[in-house]
Amino acid sequence: MTTMDAARVAGRGPEQTVREAAFEVLRRFGLTTIFANPGSTEIAFLTGLPDDFDFTLALHEGSVVGMATGWATATGRPAFVSLHTTAGLANAAGALATARTNRAPLVVVVGQQDRRHLAHDPFLTGRLEGLVGDYPVWTGQPARAQDVPGALARAHHEAVSGAGPALVVVPMDDWLQPAEALRSAAAIDVRRGRPTLGPELDELAVALDEAHAPALVVGSAADDESSWSAVVTLAERLGAPVWQEPFGARAGFPQHHSAFAGHLPPTRSGARSALADNDVVLVLGAPAFRQYPWEPGDLVPAEATVFQVTPYADETHHSIADRAFVADVSLTCRGLVAKVRARAGKAAAVRPPAAALPPPRAGEPLRPGHVFDLLARWLPEDAILVEESPSSRPELHRRVPARAPLGFVSAAAGGLGFGLPAAIGLKLGAPHRPVVAVLGDGSSLYGIQGLWSAAHYHVGALFLVLSNGGYAIMDRLAEQSGQGKQPWPPFSEIRLGTVAAGLGCPADRITSYDELTDALSEVLPTLADRAGPRLLDIEVAADLTYG
């Protein structure tokens, strides 16, 4: 075998293109599932894909990134995304912001016009630098076509270590250029670190031992089996109540456990009231603290000492904690269990149980609480529940607890359009788990194109749309502002079931309690094995329970 033949066998011969070299890098890192909405600047990359690559189409870039975010969340691995130039990247901006806040690792290739005439500003030239702000954890614009494979390896590293979307901008002619040796790109390997505490663990243990009434606040970075187990053991040893962070992307504790106190209110006065009896607050895997409406006063009682443990260093920069530690939640909790004294008794119940609503009387409308009570009755324990129904979110929290890791997923960034495509990606990434999305009708319209992907790829998710004919949360906020009537009209004419059917997704319009009972009792028990999507368009009253 000649030197030239050996190089060709090794995949580094002069005949190899940048595209072929890029596929080698993508294979190395398991990035063989492509989520995309194609554009002309990606034709050279996407056409004639190798057989070991899977292409998943969505009809809007928000759905593309939402599905990829769900897939990455379910699998724990980076997802690969292909976006068109300016229009594609701009359409995906909100979804990329959610991916960043939800800590979803994404490797995103953004197409660009032909490098050979970029200087002349041809049609579809993307002015891409800064287009989506600081939401990417890293952005690479390779200086040469031959630098693209290495940039993809770098993007994988940045997506994993930065826990967010990493972008690589690739001019369309780069893919077919001759490649160079891939030694630097191929040698890169990435493993997410598990930072641990040293002497600081003793400091934290002493503070908890000396506390009169400690409390825990958990968040998304505690949402895995190891962390759930460790936090449960620590809470039981301390006899401490456990609060869920407000606006969390995921649940950090089993919400049917007797120590679960509820969701920490998203207001300063609410948080102070909830933590009024606690002199030490340990925040685990969550910001300290994310709020929504501004209020005067402290975030926590003045007498309380706040400690924070998070694997994300950037979370500490916005923290009001007295001491913040960048460390793994599970390992920290297990270390603390070995050091703190066991306390007698259990944490007093803080969260009042939500009594089931009686069925509506003749002529009365369904309310979100009716939907959630029936959902809780039949929802499998291992189900993944995706939430994007802002006006009824607190009601959902009160009535449908997360009972397994990855049991609750939402958009921590707050932008709409995440829930529907994320549910599809979650089911694709965790096909053995039942997936239910609880959506508002207004929220659904931001990502409704995703239903085509759910139908086309036979994704067995259930979509529950609470149709109240308007932006109920916005109506509530307008009412609270005291500035008069809102200018936006309702949209009660819309029938989401009709739209869903037009996109190939089976759907039913639900207007009565009996219809809802029949539908949920039929679908939920066998949801894990469902071979296609279903949408229930449920007519509900505009309950304004947000708070």
Side-chain angles (χ1 to χ4, degrees), residues 474-475 478 483-490:
M474 296 301 298
D475 295 341
Q483 294 180 212
K485 189 177 185 301
Q486 68 271 19
W488 51 85

Side-chain angles (χ1 to χ4, degrees), residues 272-476:
R272 288 196 305 271
S273 176
L275 301 171
D277 297 330
N278 305 113
D279 55 340
V280 171
V281 179
L282 175 57
V283 182
L284 298 166
F289 296 96
R290 181 177 286 127
Q291 301 287 287
Y292 180 34
W294 181 85
E295 283 185 347
D298 294 331
L299 275 165
V300 296
E303 304 79 15
T305 301
V306 179
F307 295 91
Q308 180 187 28
V309 177
T310 172
Y312 306 120
D314 63 313
E315 232 164 41
T316 67
H317 302 320
H318 308 289
S319 174
I320 56 94
D322 297 279
R323 289 279 277 144
F325 306 104
V326 179
D328 179 81
V329 172
S330 174
L331 294 178
T332 299
C333 288
R334 294 184 190 283
L336 288 172
V337 167
K339 291 178 178 291
V340 299
R341 62 181 172 86
R343 299 176 183 239
K346 296 182 179 180
V350 177
R351 183 185 59 160
L357 294 176
R361 292 175 292 190
E364 288 183 343
L366 282 167
R367 294 166 55 191
H370 291 123
V371 180
F372 302 150
D373 283 342
L374 292 175
L375 179 61
R377 182 187 302 180
W378 287 297
L379 188 69
E381 184 166 338
D382 64 338
I384 302 172
L385 191 151
V386 185
E387 178 275 325
E388 193 168 84
S389 179
S391 63
S392 55
R393 179 183 296 136
E395 191 79 359
L396 175 69
H397 287 329
R398 282 191 286 267
R399 298 180 182 277
V400 189
R403 295 176 290 169
L406 199 61
F408 175 82
V409 178
S410 187
L416 299 181
F418 167 78
L420 192 154
I424 300 168
L426 283 158
K427 184 64 178 178
L428 288 171
H432 60 288
R433 297 208 34 193
V435 175
V436 178
V438 175
L439 313 167
D441 48 355
S443 301
S444 300
L445 290 168
Y446 283 82
I448 197 68
Q449 302 94 334
L451 290 176
W452 177 87
S453 300
H456 183 81
Y457 295 107
H458 308 290
V459 177
L462 174 64
F463 302 91
L464 303 181
V465 179
L466 307 184
S467 294
N468 54 34
Y471 295 127
I473 181 58
M474 296 301 298
D475 295 341
R476 172 68 176 275

